Amino acid sequence: MAQDWDIRTLGKVCSVCENAFEDQQSIYSCLFYEAEEGYKRMDICEACWTDERRDQAVSYWKTVYHAPPPPAPEPVKRETAESLLRQYMSKEDFSKSHVIFILAVMLERKRLLVERDVKNREDGVKI
């Protein structure tokens, strides 16, 4: 009979004292078995790691916590696209309705449109 395990990834805080881990801090990750929950992962700082916890663990390992890198900055500032959309919407000139639509979709879906190719029509309009 197959068993599904739902073991979470490395935590950001100690499972015992709930203090946040610091970058490059040594910690213990361990698996415990509980009858009602099954296997449960706990990440514990060295100060909270005891012989009793080690003896109760099904498996444990010592590791180093690496803080996640800060999120990358947005390539196009959201305020720039939004201010441009507001500027076009405030004018009652709907000759730029295609641009208004694209800006609205870009902001709604949090996507960045990338220009890949420009073609010139016979009448001089760029597509």
Side-chain angles (χ1 to χ4, degrees), residues 4-5 17 35 42 63 82 88 93-94 106 113 118:
D4 291 333
W5 293 352
C17 66
M42 294 179 71
T63 186
E82 190 173 345
Y88 286 151
D93 175 23
F94 290 105
M106 187 176 91
L113 299 175
V118 176

Side-chain angles (χ1 to χ4, degrees), residues 15-57:
S15 298
V16 177
C17 66
E18 297 183 356
N19 289 332
F21 295 134
E22 296 177 12
D23 193 32
Q24 303 299 320
Q25 179 181 357
S26 294
I27 62 170
Y28 288 91
S29 292
C30 48
L31 288 176
F32 291 97
Y33 183 77
E34 295 178 358
E36 61 275 351
E37 293 184 34
Y39 288 99
K40 179 181 175 184
R41 177 182 177 153
M42 294 179 71
D43 300 305
I44 303 171
C45 65
E46 284 188 301
C48 297
W49 184 246
T50 62
D51 291 336
E52 181 182 341
R53 287 197 177 89
R54 185 189 69 220
D55 294 338
Q56 292 174 350

